[in-house]
Amino acid sequence: MRERLDRLWLQEDKARGYAEMLKTCDGLEAIVAETEPGAARTLAHEHDEDGAMPAIAEALSRSEKGARVRLLHYEYLTWR
């Protein structure tokens, strides 16, 4: 995905490239908003109880506190 966005950034027609970048990001946001709340709820509530937060934090490349904040963010993410 990052490579595609980089290619769009380098297009000759900057307006078209930027519009395509926004369209791509819009699609990604929709996917994240559709899938992340359920995944975040599962991780935050079910797996945290069994002491999995250190592994979750490592997988998210965050501290445990940072991972909890990120999960909370995703848990309440909505799409329009």
Side-chain angles (χ1 to χ4, degrees):
M1 186 54 61
R2 181 65 193 195
E3 290 175 13
R4 173 154 171 68
L5 290 173
D6 287 343
R7 283 193 307 273
L8 290 169
W9 179 261
L10 297 172
Q11 278 192 2
E12 288 291 321
D13 182 349
K14 293 294 183 196
R16 181 176 173 82
Y18 294 158
E20 288 294 322
M21 287 176 72
L22 289 174
K23 182 179 177 182
T24 300
C25 291
D26 187 57
L28 286 172
E29 286 179 355
I31 292 168
V32 169
E34 191 176 297
T35 60
E36 289 304 309
R41 270 189 293 281
T42 299
L43 286 173
H45 300 290
E46 294 176 22
H47 294 287
D48 189 27
E49 294 171 3
D50 62 14
M53 191 50 70
I56 294 168
E58 183 178 345
L60 295 174
S61 299
R62 298 180 181 274
S63 66
E64 286 187 41
K65 181 180 179 182
R68 289 181 204 290
V69 169
R70 179 51 60 187
L71 290 175
L72 189 62
H73 166 77
Y74 284 139
E75 191 173 347
Y76 293 100
L77 192 64
T78 59
W79 182 242
R80 298 181 197 186

